[in-house]
Amino acid sequence: EFGMRLQYRLIENWSFGTGIQWVRRNYSIEFNYINDTLSVNDFDTISQLATVGYRIPIIAETRVPLGLGYFVSATAGFGIDIKPSDSYVNTDNYEAYLGRVRWASLPLLAEIGLFKEPKGDKPGWYIGVYWSRGIGRSIWVEQVVQFKSDYRIVSRGYLNSTLAGVEFRILLE
């Protein structure tokens, strides 16, 4: 993720924020196909699927002062994820498609971290962890596997997008 966020201080320890983020997600899809009649037992991983999208977070933040300009912050809210394109991979044995159910989806967002406030020309910093999970079905996936030249197996399903990670920010006044 890469982006910019604007925070509006409502009262001393509460703020409201929004912004824009560029989000790249890499997906790895594993499938295991067993068919006793055909004597087939196959397991494979499709790891080349990637999507790019944009997120507009809408969040509320509270902070607890620790002293000397340091704070612990907790953030919660939701976002608007916009996915402008689908993803497709094709090789000799398989095809994989990853697409959006709708142009936009609504993920829940949560963050917790430690930060140092910026002072004058000296920027501050933030380090924390984040988590988000899409509400409902936001991504569909289809994989097509070709066994020799005789058998073509198609499987379809839906994915809920869940993200978690460590985040570092530079804070400006």
Side-chain angles (χ1 to χ4, degrees), residues 50-51 83-88 97-101 140:
T51 64
K83 297 178 183 75
S85 64
D86 298 335
S87 182
Y88 171 73
Y97 305 89
L98 186 76
R100 63 189 181 278
V101 174
W140 60 265

Side-chain angles (χ1 to χ4, degrees), residues 71-87:
F71 294 85
V72 170
S73 71
T75 304
F78 66 94
I80 300 169
D81 278 359
I82 302 164
K83 297 178 183 75
S85 64
D86 298 335
S87 182

Side-chain angles (χ1 to χ4, degrees), residues 5 13 42 49 69 90 92 94 97 110 112 140 153 160-161:
R5 185 183 294 174
N13 291 326
D42 193 30
L49 289 167
N90 184 8
D92 293 339
Y94 67 83
Y97 305 89
I112 189 164
W140 60 265
I153 300 158
N160 285 329
S161 183

Side-chain angles (χ1 to χ4, degrees), residues 120-137:
D121 291 341
K122 188 174 180 182
W125 52 265
Y126 168 93
I127 188 161
V129 293
Y130 67 90
W131 172 88
S132 73
R133 177 158 175 99
I135 299 171
R137 293 179 171 175

Side-chain angles (χ1 to χ4, degrees), residues 27-33 42-47 143 155:
Y27 293 90
S28 176
I29 298 173
E30 296 178 350
F31 66 92
N32 187 11
Y33 180 74
D42 193 30
F43 178 83
D44 204 352
T45 301
I46 302 169
S47 58
Q143 51 209 11
S155 63

Side-chain angles (χ1 to χ4, degrees), residues 3 21 27 56 60 90 99 113 125 139 169 172:
Q21 296 170 310
Y27 293 90
I56 300 170
N90 184 8
W125 52 265
I139 301 168
R169 295 185 211 145
L172 305 173

Side-chain angles (χ1 to χ4, degrees), residues 140-144 154-158:
W140 60 265
V141 63
E142 178 178 285
Q143 51 209 11
V144 180
V154 178
S155 63
R156 295 179 180 100
Y158 291 93

